[in-house]
Amino acid sequence: MPAEENGSLILEGLNGPQREAVQHGAGPLLIVAGAGTGKTKTLVHRVAHHIQQRIPPGRILLLTFTRRAAAEMLRRVDGLLRQLHGSGHSQRGGSYIQAVWGGTFHAIAARLLRLYAPAAGLEPAFTILDRGDSEDLLDVVRTELELSKTDQRFPRKGTCLAIYSHCVNAQQPLEQVLAAQFPWCRDGAADLKRLFAAYGERKEQGGILDYDDLLLFWRGLLADPQVGPQIRGRFDCVLVDEYQDTNRVQAEIIKLLRPDGRGLTAVGDDAQAIYSFRAATVRNILDFPTEFPAATIVKLEQNYRSTQPILRATNHVIGQAQRRFRKDLWSAREGGPLPQLVTCQDENDQAEYVIREILQRREEGIDLRRQAVLYRTSHHSVLLEGELTRRNIPYVKFGGLKFLEAAHIKDLLSLLRLAENPRDLVAGIRVLQLLPGIGPKRARQLMERIASSRGDWRVWEAAPAGKAAAATWPQLLDVLRQLTRHPVADVASQVSLARRFYEPILQDKYDNPAPRKRDLEQIQQLAARFADRPSLLTQLALDPPESTEDFAGPPLLDEDYLILSTIHSAKGLEWDTVFVIHAADGNIPSDMATGSDEEIEEELRLFYVALTRAKNHLYVCQPQRYYHANRGGFTDRHSFAQLTRFLPPPLRTFFEARLANPCNAGQPPSEPAAASLTSRQIRSQIQAMWS
């Protein structure tokens, strides 16, 4: 098929601005894609257009924020090219699509660092700490520095890592981050600097990187005058999805990859920048035209998700933002009801109303799974969950224990990580403490021996393990020697070897071991897909599965289920009917995020994200009264709440106001009962008390 005809097929089904974005030349391009305007479709067609223009797929870099997003986009590119080339697709698309560099920032960084490890001062066998392991290493260092024994409260490991990560990703001084994000930790700034310095030294000694290091080392390679040009020379096109969610380091990486912006495409929506707690900054997308003066900006404004009445309301909500790319979303779907602004007496009244409306929509043919209840913070759904349970209405709440957070999974992977990198302190301490009689102090001593010998297991052979570990100590050494001797052959067999050593320990260490063993079987099956052990460990660290059978609830044997979600977790999703609850000041915006104009503006964007998830029906609910709670439950003490500041009176005209439970609305008032006492008699009785 002629290239011209193929080019026209790539543009089929696209509106005018989408076509403009897809066909744009090599200059820097910013696609400002409003909610529900088909930004993924546009990005998919642009990648296909690049390939159709004979740009080798291996010279295309697609950066996303989840591995699944990258895989889905490339799958759609593959499908589009199949339509264009038919039976000849295998030469133009199938095998070539696999060559595209698609993945998250962290995954691409890890891949490049494996290639350029010596230039970065790394060994190719470096291991990657996931968030949990990073916390554990910080805790080891925290204990060694005796920071837990100070006479003042010192932050725990999770908070320490959050502070460290925010400083690194936002490229802000510690004092500034503490003042803005962790004010209660300000007095510990000097000790935190000691902790973070020692943490960095431990990572250096162990040949390990954490998530943040991946980005920093990638940036360092790009800034190097010898290596930087080599990496830049690998790519002709760089496409970045969700650009509004990038942090300062990621933006610097993009600038170093494409200094003049040539071949750069960034896609995002400033109105959906809601991740500052991860150090993301909306300034990256707002300042894109400044960073790349030759940039072309294409706005996608036709919405394919929501009805026009919903868009009319949401446009006015986001119109209150001070700094933004101005756009006016519109839909060809003119009909539909106005969004509902519902006033509830209290939280119980809110729960009663929401459930009643959900069931009513269900009777109208809208399944429960096509409806969602969104809220600012996880605990806002507690009362509603109780009422749903009481009424036997099934629901799914987004979130839960991640696969790699399960103890038995961390045990097995720590054994593989220790074999890969004997200096990995966190993995080694975890493995050694699986053996009876070995505690944290002895484990650290043994790890110091192996580190000083540069991974020679013979130094452990002469080490006394103690009577309790006499049986398992030789077995551990044998497993480690075998895993070290065959580091690249048959990864599934290596996992099998580790399982045979670990499963007797699992049997003694944990209750209900059967489902845990099945989880380990899954790891072994997964390992068969990888060419080597480092690839397996990197994949599991950077993109872990979401759940594990051992911690799963009973199977949901029901025809349907309602969705409950925080607003942050709902980003990128859509439902026919959406209920936004607790739309009261102090909840939306959160009273924890009103310390600056920037924080309040992000809360406005978060509210906008919640509203734009709705396709046909939108309800915004505000309880007027909140009861105070103590350890024994709720009391009669209460406070009145105000409607969120993000819906001032002029904007309420775009909503239909209603009461959740109008009491006897429309009924004539009943006649008052005849009084049997006069006010004079009552006053006389009161006065008599004092005579």
Side-chain angles (χ1 to χ4, degrees):
M1 186 179 295
E4 294 79 5
E5 188 174 346
N6 281 343
S8 64
L9 288 175
I10 283 181
L11 301 178
E12 279 189 3
L14 302 178
N15 61 37
Q18 289 174 335
R19 289 186 174 209
E20 180 185 354
V22 168
Q23 291 181 295
H24 179 76
L29 171 66
L30 175 62
I31 304 173
V32 181
T37 57
K39 62 104 173 168
T40 300
K41 181 177 183 179
T42 305
L43 202 53
V44 164
H45 281 249
R46 182 149 174 80
V47 173
H49 178 73
H50 282 327
I51 295 174
Q52 190 62 31
Q53 295 296 308
R54 303 192 182 282
I55 294 176
R59 299 187 62 79
I60 297 175
L61 173 60
L62 174 62
L63 291 165
T64 63
F65 276 81
T66 66
R67 185 193 63 82
R68 184 175 178 273
E72 174 63 16
M73 286 186 196
L74 293 178
R75 184 192 65 79
R76 290 172 61 176
V77 170
D78 186 59
L80 182 57
L81 292 176
R82 284 182 184 278
Q83 290 180 351
L84 297 179
H85 298 284
S87 60
H89 171 69
S90 59
Q91 288 188 327
R92 294 291 303 147
S95 61
Y96 281 72
I97 282 298
Q98 298 174 7
V100 173
W101 285 62
T104 65
F105 274 87
H106 294 88
I108 297 298
R111 185 175 171 184
L112 285 168
L113 288 173
R114 297 286 183 202
L115 294 174
Y116 295 95
L122 298 171
E123 295 182 7
F126 69 84
T127 51
I128 301 171
L129 300 179
D130 62 26
R131 292 294 183 188
D133 293 326
S134 298
E135 289 181 6
D136 290 343
L137 181 56
L138 266 172
D139 204 38
V140 169
V141 178
R142 179 177 178 268
T143 301
E144 291 176 347
L145 295 177
E146 298 187 339
L147 294 175
S148 58
K149 297 181 180 179
T150 58
D151 56 357
Q152 293 184 343
R153 180 174 57 138
F154 194 79
R156 295 186 179 276
K157 61 181 182 179
T159 305
C160 290
L161 182 62
I163 295 170
Y164 173 86
S165 186
H166 201 98
C167 290
V168 168
N169 287 293
Q171 293 290 281
Q172 293 176 346
L174 175 62
E175 291 79 6
Q176 182 179 339
V177 170
L178 293 180
Q181 306 286 337
F182 306 90
W184 66 272
C185 300
R186 280 183 292 188
D187 291 342
D191 285 335
L192 283 168
K193 287 183 178 179
R194 288 174 54 215
L195 173 63
F196 296 156
Y199 173 63
E201 291 173 0
R202 278 307 181 100
K203 289 188 293 180
E204 177 78 18
Q205 294 167 4
I208 51 182
L209 301 180
D210 61 21
Y211 279 180
D212 303 321
D213 290 331
L214 293 172
L215 298 183
L216 295 175
F217 274 75
W218 185 10
R219 185 186 65 176
L221 285 176
L222 286 168
D224 183 84
Q226 280 76 43
V227 183
Q230 296 179 36
I231 297 177
R232 280 189 287 276
R234 283 181 169 269
F235 307 111
D236 293 328
C237 300
V238 176
L239 303 97
V240 189
D241 190 22
E242 304 287 9
Y243 197 72
Q244 78 281 351
D245 293 336
T246 54
N247 59 42
R248 184 171 174 180
V249 175
Q250 290 164 330
E252 290 174 357
I253 287 171
I254 297 302
K255 182 69 174 178
L256 288 166
L257 271 173
R258 303 283 99 182
D260 60 357
R262 184 172 179 79
L264 174 61
T265 300
V267 184
D269 182 9
D270 55 295
Q272 298 185 70
I274 58 174
Y275 292 117
S276 67
F277 65 93
R278 297 180 186 168
T281 171
V282 69
R283 295 188 63 89
N284 287 344
I285 189 169
L286 293 175
D287 293 344
F288 190 92
T290 304
E291 290 293 327
F292 304 98
T296 297
I297 300 175
V298 176
K299 297 179 183 178
L300 305 185
E301 297 177 296
Q302 182 175 359
N303 180 284
Y304 296 94
R305 175 186 300 158
S306 305
T307 62
Q308 190 60 34
I310 292 176
L311 292 178
R312 195 174 295 118
T314 56
N315 282 336
H316 281 83
V317 168
I318 198 60
Q320 301 170 91
Q322 296 300 308
R323 289 198 64 197
R324 66 189 183 98
F325 289 110
R326 298 191 177 277
K327 52 188 178 298
D328 188 21
L329 301 190
W330 61 275
S331 172
R333 301 173 58 210
E334 288 288 345
L338 287 174
Q340 305 287 300
L341 182 56
V342 185
T343 302
C344 311
Q345 291 183 7
D346 52 33
E347 292 180 86
N348 288 300
D349 195 28
Q350 177 179 252
E352 172 69 28
Y353 173 79
V354 167
I355 291 175
R356 187 171 68 242
E357 290 296 321
I358 286 170
L359 294 178
Q360 178 61 36
R361 299 287 83 75
R362 179 176 177 271
E363 290 303 313
E364 294 172 359
I366 302 174
D367 295 339
L368 293 178
R369 73 186 70 190
R370 294 168 57 200
Q371 305 184 60
V373 181
L374 308 182
Y375 35 84
R376 174 64 178 83
T377 306
S378 186
H379 67 79
H380 286 166
S381 68
V382 171
L383 193 147
L384 177 62
E385 290 179 56
E387 192 63 17
L388 289 169
T389 301
R390 188 181 70 81
R391 299 192 187 199
N392 196 29
I393 299 174
Y395 65 88
V396 170
K397 187 175 182 180
F398 287 176
L401 187 69
K402 299 292 189 293
F403 189 70
L404 292 189
E405 293 172 1
H408 57 294
I409 298 296
K410 293 185 77 71
D411 291 345
L412 182 70
L413 293 181
S414 292
L415 185 56
L416 295 174
R417 280 175 41 202
L418 181 61
E420 186 67 25
N421 179 6
R423 294 181 293 157
D424 189 331
L425 183 66
V426 174
I429 288 178
R430 186 178 190 96
V431 168
L432 290 168
Q433 288 188 98
L434 293 174
L435 276 58
I438 296 183
K441 182 178 180 180
R442 180 61 179 148
R444 279 197 294 273
Q445 292 172 346
L446 289 167
M447 286 304 298
E448 289 171 2
R449 286 196 180 194
I450 199 70
S452 62
S453 72
R454 300 194 62 81
D456 187 344
W457 303 115
R458 288 177 295 182
V459 301
W460 278 4
E461 293 176 357
K467 294 182 179 179
T472 50
W473 182 245
Q475 297 175 20
L476 174 63
L477 291 176
D478 184 55
V479 168
L480 289 172
R481 279 192 295 265
Q482 291 188 61
L483 289 174
T484 307
R485 193 177 303 125
H486 306 290
V488 294
D490 194 357
V491 188
S493 296
Q494 295 178 48
V495 176
S496 176
L497 176 64
R499 280 182 57 202
R500 288 198 298 273
F501 166 76
Y502 173 66
E503 286 186 353
I505 297 173
L506 170 71
Q507 194 80 26
D508 295 334
K509 188 177 176 66
Y510 298 108
D511 295 330
N512 195 21
R516 296 178 188 262
K517 288 182 179 179
R518 289 195 290 272
D519 284 339
L520 303 186
E521 291 174 9
Q522 288 183 310
I523 295 291
Q524 185 172 337
Q525 293 170 6
L526 179 66
R529 306 177 188 175
F530 292 87
D532 53 51
R533 191 168 61 211
S535 299
L536 169 69
L537 295 173
T538 299
Q539 175 78 9
L540 288 173
L542 296 181
D543 187 44
E546 284 294 312
S547 61
T548 173
E549 179 177 333
D550 179 55
F551 290 89
L556 190 63
L557 300 178
D558 208 293
E559 60 176 354
D560 206 1
Y561 49 84
L562 179 69
I563 304 297
L564 306 183
S565 175
T566 63
I567 302 173
H568 282 101
S569 296
K571 183 174 176 289
L573 303 176
E574 61 183 40
W575 294 273
D576 181 279
T577 303
V578 169
F579 297 84
V580 182
I581 61 176
H582 293 290
D585 249 41
N587 293 329
I588 301 176
S590 168
D591 54 6
M592 301 294 289
T594 55
S596 67
D597 291 342
E598 290 78 10
E599 287 181 320
I600 294 172
E601 191 134 315
E602 177 158 327
E603 290 290 300
L604 170 63
R605 296 193 295 266
L606 188 64
F607 185 50
Y608 171 77
V609 166
L611 302 183
T612 53
R613 300 309 94 194
K615 297 167 69 174
N616 296 307
H617 302 278
L618 173 62
Y619 300 81
V620 180
C621 301
Q622 179 234 341
Q624 288 185 308
R625 176 186 298 157
Y626 284 92
Y627 286 96
H628 298 184
N630 59 22
R631 292 183 180 179
F634 289 96
T635 69
D636 285 335
R637 296 175 58 228
H638 62 272
S639 301
F640 283 114
Q642 295 183 356
L643 179 65
T644 173
R645 70 188 72 180
F646 301 143
L647 291 178
L651 267 65
R652 297 174 203 169
T653 58
F654 300 101
F655 292 78
E656 179 183 337
R658 61 188 302 181
L659 298 175
N661 290 298
C663 299
N664 301 318
Q667 296 183 10
S670 57
E671 292 294 327
S676 59
L677 293 173
T678 65
S679 61
R680 181 177 296 275
Q681 288 174 312
I682 295 173
R683 292 183 185 279
S684 297
Q685 292 172 1
I686 295 173
Q687 290 300 108
M689 296 175 63
W690 324 123
S691 59

